[in-house]
Amino acid sequence: MENLDWLLQGFEQAATPMNLLYAVIGVLLGTAVGVLPGIGPAMTVALLLPVTYNVSPSAAFIMFAGIFYGGMYGGSTTSILLNTPGESSSVITAIEGNKMAKAGRAAQALATAAIGSFVAGAIGTALLAAFAPPISRFAVTLGAPSYLAIMLFALIAVTAVLGASKLRGAISLFLGLAIGIVGIDFLTGQPRATFGLPQLSDGIDIVVIAVAIFAVGEALWVAAHLRRRPADVIPVGRPWMGREDWRRSWKPWLRGTAYGFPFGALPAGGAELPTFLSYITEKKLSKHKGEFGRGAIEGVAGPEAANNASAAGTLVPMLSLGLPTNATAAVMLTAFVSYGIQPGPTLFEKEPLLIWTLIASLFIGNFMLLVLNLPLAPLWAKLLRTPRPYLYAGILFFATLGALAVNVQPLDLALLLVFGLLGLMMRRFGLPVLPLIIGVILGPRIERQLRQALQLGGGDWISLFKEPVAITVYVLMAALLLVPLVLRLMHRSEETLLVVEDDRDQKEKAAQA
Amino acid sequence: MTTTEEPQQNPVARTVDKAQYIVCAVLVAVGAFVIYDALSLEAGFAKVDPVGPKFFPIAIGGILIVLAIVLAIAIPRGSVGEADAGEDVDPNTPGDWRTVGLLVGLFVSVILLVNPLGWAITGTLLFAGAATILGSRYYIRNLVIGAVLAVASFYAFYSGLGIPLPAGILDGIL
């Protein structure tokens, strides 16, 4: 029950009028940028990192909690009203949700997405509060070799399992690792890859990298391919649901949550697979199979809940192990570092109040999202009509402002441009962004952990393979890399099964149309 | 995965995306630099630090070069990365690289001018310039929005957050 006490203390911290104001700002900002095309939650947190430098850590995290859930919800609004999913995890929402909107049921689609997100977020956060502390208590007992193995596992999982092309994932990862080298070597004190610039001896500021890759890279990429035709937004009133909608929605919400959370908590789970699984399940179980493909409410409720629950799930490895597994978590982790908080399994021991405040603010942010967004939906729909030149000029403006504010030196702006161009290149050639960010964050920590583990083991490599957890993780890692190969040899990889199912869907839909 | 509604392209008619060799060049450049830099380090060899400061850079640089070679082999065989799609992005249109070039040029001038001119002026120029380059024809409105954003953010950062952004030639006026 100790955790419950901490949670109550967290609520006490988070529920001051000033902090509640930060939560409102966070939710509004998060939803606004989530709705705006081209900006995701990761980019929002990255852009706001410099702003929060001079705010207290708890206030900053409360705001991030609002942004985290707000951004997620904003994305689904865009999918439903515009049929243009911003992230792969809201592709499924766009399929049924936009059909519903076209059939004049936009209000119900938005409502089931909002309430489903709330339900999934509340359950997911509760599961996070229940699971993260024991996992971190277990992780604290692990030695450096085990921790090293777990970090390597996360690195490989994110690169090899997510994304379509393993080669391109690896390219992105190793570019990130190379960026992570920059700075002073922690054991011998020598500058590495700093171009002789003393400003780089602490490494390249991760805020600058994140803002450059997410914001500048995206703005440049959009500039190259801006759609010249105006967006076709479906107007919407206040979201509401009838009795029948509730009856058809509540089970998909719960099933979606059950899919989403475990996938999010796994290092390579992601949000795409659970949303897809949820969609298939709802289609199988529904009594209204004929509506699927033409706007079935279950097809919005389930995947939306799965998406949000998976987002809550990604916070489990982030808070209990210090491992980021999606872009937003990665950027939030850099916020910890900028406050001098060392992410890792000792977080719950060293900063319990801060962490529980964050968890409490997730509950608060999630609730505020529901309260604020149902009445504000028509406003968000208007936001979708922002003239694109202003939107992307604004992104460039705030990216520059953010990078300049970190150290107030033009060198950071030059780095912003260089990494912005790198981000542009990655988007053009289909290199995934996430492995790069994870590589920048985890690379230096893996090197440090490896060399510290070896120091403790007297320089003996065998000492790395003596802990049972480490060995288990290495076996899992090998399995992760080998199983897809074996499956491919058997011509029945999971991926092809999904694609086949998907193709059939598309064909059926094409036939109906 | 679900957005591919067009029929599968005939594998024979697949075009080779030669621009991907840029990625190879970047990988080789980064890899070579990291290795070159690592070779200039003192080994500082100690029994308890068998890894040393050189191992990671050399390994990462080496793998980057290997990846460049693998990609270079994969490109002529028709390996293509799927370009990022998005709300405002239509990857099927030919790239408008002139706009990108203008934006990069604008950004370089911001880097050079931010200290002498100060944030209030360069910020205005950045927003108005970017909006104009991206196709907004209301030049006065672009400038006004830019000026409001730049001056407001200057004061917000100065008094609200205690971060003094460069004031430049307006030092004393602002």
Side-chain angles (χ1 to χ4, degrees):
Chain A
M1 278 300 95
E2 189 195 357
N3 288 343
L4 208 61
D5 284 346
W6 275 116
L7 186 60
L8 287 176
Q9 284 201 41
F11 269 111
E12 245 168 66
Q13 281 280 315
T16 64
M18 203 55 210
N19 284 345
L20 285 179
L21 185 69
Y22 277 112
V24 172
I25 296 175
V27 168
L28 290 180
L29 271 177
T31 318
V33 298
V35 167
L36 285 174
I39 321 180
M43 196 201 284
T44 318
V45 181
L47 283 174
L48 284 173
L49 276 179
V51 180
T52 52
Y53 274 175
N54 291 33
V55 190
S56 77
S58 53
F61 287 133
I62 288 161
M63 204 153 88
F64 288 160
I67 294 170
F68 190 64
Y69 281 142
M72 219 67 71
Y73 174 75
S76 63
T77 308
T78 323
S79 302
I80 292 170
L81 297 182
L82 252 183
N83 194 22
T84 46
E87 286 147 78
S88 47
S89 52
S90 41
V91 167
I92 305 283
T93 311
I95 298 180
E96 294 298 325
N98 190 251
K99 294 267 162 51
M100 278 182 77
K102 279 186 181 144
R105 300 199 350 116
Q108 286 81 357
L110 284 178
T112 197
I115 302 169
S117 296
F118 170 75
V119 170
I123 297 175
T125 313
L127 291 173
L128 165 73
F131 282 115
I135 292 176
S136 92
R137 264 199 300 282
F138 170 68
V140 173
T141 64
L142 298 176
S146 301
Y147 201 56
L148 173 70
I150 292 174
M151 283 200 287
L152 281 172
F153 180 78
L155 210 59
I156 287 174
V158 166
T159 311
V161 179
L162 301 178
S165 161
K166 290 187 181 27
L167 170 64
R168 288 172 177 81
I171 288 173
S172 171
L173 172 68
F174 278 91
L175 280 174
L177 292 174
I179 296 168
I181 294 172
V182 177
I184 288 195
D185 175 47
F186 79 104
L187 267 183
T188 62
Q190 302 175 82
R192 291 194 300 192
T194 60
F195 297 90
L197 295 168
Q199 294 98 317
L200 290 184
S201 48
D202 286 336
I204 300 172
D205 206 301
I206 184 84
V207 174
V208 175
I209 299 173
V211 170
I213 297 276
F214 286 114
V216 179
E218 180 76 20
L220 291 178
W221 173 235
V222 170
H225 288 279
L226 194 57
R227 282 180 209 274
R228 297 295 172 188
R229 56 174 178 76
D232 188 15
V233 185
I234 297 168
V236 67
R238 189 186 167 135
W240 60 277
M241 295 204 308
R243 205 194 174 90
E244 171 75 4
D245 297 320
W246 280 95
R247 210 180 51 70
R248 286 177 58 182
S249 287
W250 71 272
K251 277 184 198 156
W253 289 338
L254 295 182
R255 281 192 289 258
T257 308
Y259 275 127
F261 187 81
F263 272 97
L266 287 172
E272 293 149 44
L273 208 51
T275 52
F276 196 77
L277 287 174
S278 160
Y279 184 74
I280 296 179
T281 310
E282 297 314 330
K283 198 173 169 181
K284 282 218 178 84
L285 295 177
S286 172
K287 288 178 195 130
H288 310 267
K289 285 196 183 65
E291 275 186 38
F292 272 80
R294 278 180 284 171
I297 195 164
E298 292 94 338
V300 181
E304 255 322 284
N307 188 6
N308 248 43
S310 138
T314 56
L315 294 177
V316 173
M318 179 186 123
L319 293 180
S320 60
L321 301 169
L323 285 181
T325 53
N326 73 3
T328 317
V331 180
M332 272 168 89
L333 209 63
T334 65
F336 281 82
V337 180
S338 71
Y339 282 114
I341 301 163
Q342 203 51 50
T346 54
L347 211 54
F348 272 93
E349 259 175 35
K350 283 189 187 153
E351 308 276 353
L353 192 56
L354 194 62
I355 295 308
W356 286 105
T357 308
L358 174 63
I359 294 177
S361 17
L362 285 169
F363 278 111
I364 295 175
N366 192 29
F367 178 69
M368 281 196 175
L369 197 62
L370 187 69
V371 176
L372 287 175
N373 277 344
L374 287 182
L376 286 178
L379 180 75
W380 299 136
K382 280 208 187 79
L383 208 56
L384 276 171
R385 296 203 175 92
T386 310
R388 295 304 180 253
Y390 288 142
L391 176 61
Y392 291 101
I395 292 177
L396 280 177
F397 176 88
F398 283 106
T400 313
L401 179 64
L404 189 62
V406 177
N407 303 308
V408 197
Q409 56 188 19
L411 175 71
D412 281 334
L413 294 189
L415 290 171
L416 189 71
L417 179 60
V418 170
F419 289 112
L421 287 172
L422 180 69
L424 171 68
M425 179 187 94
M426 296 176 76
R427 284 173 175 80
R428 162 66 178 82
F429 297 113
L431 302 172
V433 173
L434 181 60
L436 179 128
I437 298 287
I438 304 268
V440 176
I441 294 174
L442 285 187
R445 281 167 60 196
I446 286 177
E447 182 181 12
R448 180 183 284 249
Q449 201 70 255
L450 171 66
R451 286 163 74 181
Q452 272 172 355
L454 282 171
Q455 273 185 320
L456 293 174
D460 186 2
W461 288 91
I462 303 296
S463 67
L464 294 179
F465 303 97
K466 278 190 176 156
E467 291 186 14
V469 174
I471 296 168
T472 317
V473 173
Y474 285 121
V475 171
L476 279 175
M477 214 184 313
L480 191 72
L481 289 172
L482 292 178
V483 166
L485 261 172
V486 175
L487 281 177
R488 193 183 297 166
L489 287 178
M490 294 162 66
H491 287 290
R492 287 190 68 85
S493 82
E494 196 181 355
E495 224 168 295
T496 54
L497 277 179
L498 287 178
V499 170
V500 167
E501 177 92 15
D502 207 38
D503 275 0
R504 209 165 52 213
D505 269 16
Q506 294 290 345
K507 272 179 203 143
E508 275 170 21
K509 253 182 263 171
Q512 281 164 6
Chain B
M1 44 182 196
T2 45
T3 46
T4 47
E5 287 186 17
E6 60 210 341
Q8 288 288 310
Q9 281 182 357
N10 190 353
V12 184
R14 209 162 38 189
T15 50
V16 175
D17 185 6
K18 290 216 176 83
Q20 290 187 98
Y21 286 113
I22 297 173
V23 179
C24 295
V26 170
L27 293 180
V28 170
V30 174
F33 170 73
V34 168
I35 294 177
Y36 165 78
D37 182 80
L39 292 176
S40 69
L41 296 172
E42 300 278 325
F45 192 87
K47 193 180 170 293
V48 291
D49 184 19
V51 174
K54 286 182 179 187
F55 175 78
F56 264 73
I58 291 179
I60 292 169
I63 294 174
L64 277 173
I65 292 173
V66 170
L67 288 171
I69 296 168
V70 174
L71 183 63
I73 295 170
I75 292 169
R77 295 174 169 213
S79 168
V80 267
E82 194 183 322
D84 243 29
E87 284 111 334
D88 284 338
V89 175
D90 190 355
N92 297 322
T93 59
D96 178 3
W97 301 110
R98 184 174 159 270
T99 307
V100 176
L102 285 173
L103 283 178
V104 171
L106 175 72
F107 208 89
V108 170
S109 47
V110 166
I111 296 170
L112 297 175
L113 294 177
V114 70
N115 270 344
L117 291 186
W119 172 249
I121 294 177
T122 40
T124 309
L125 290 178
L126 172 64
F127 183 88
T132 310
I133 292 170
L134 288 169
S136 173
R137 296 273 166 265
Y138 309 97
Y139 304 110
I140 306 290
R141 195 166 77 180
N142 298 350
L143 274 173
V144 170
I145 299 178
V148 169
L149 279 177
V151 174
S153 57
F154 181 86
Y155 278 111
F157 273 67
Y158 186 78
S159 46
L161 300 169
I163 300 171
L165 296 169
I169 50 170
L170 293 181
D171 199 7
I173 302 172
L174 285 175

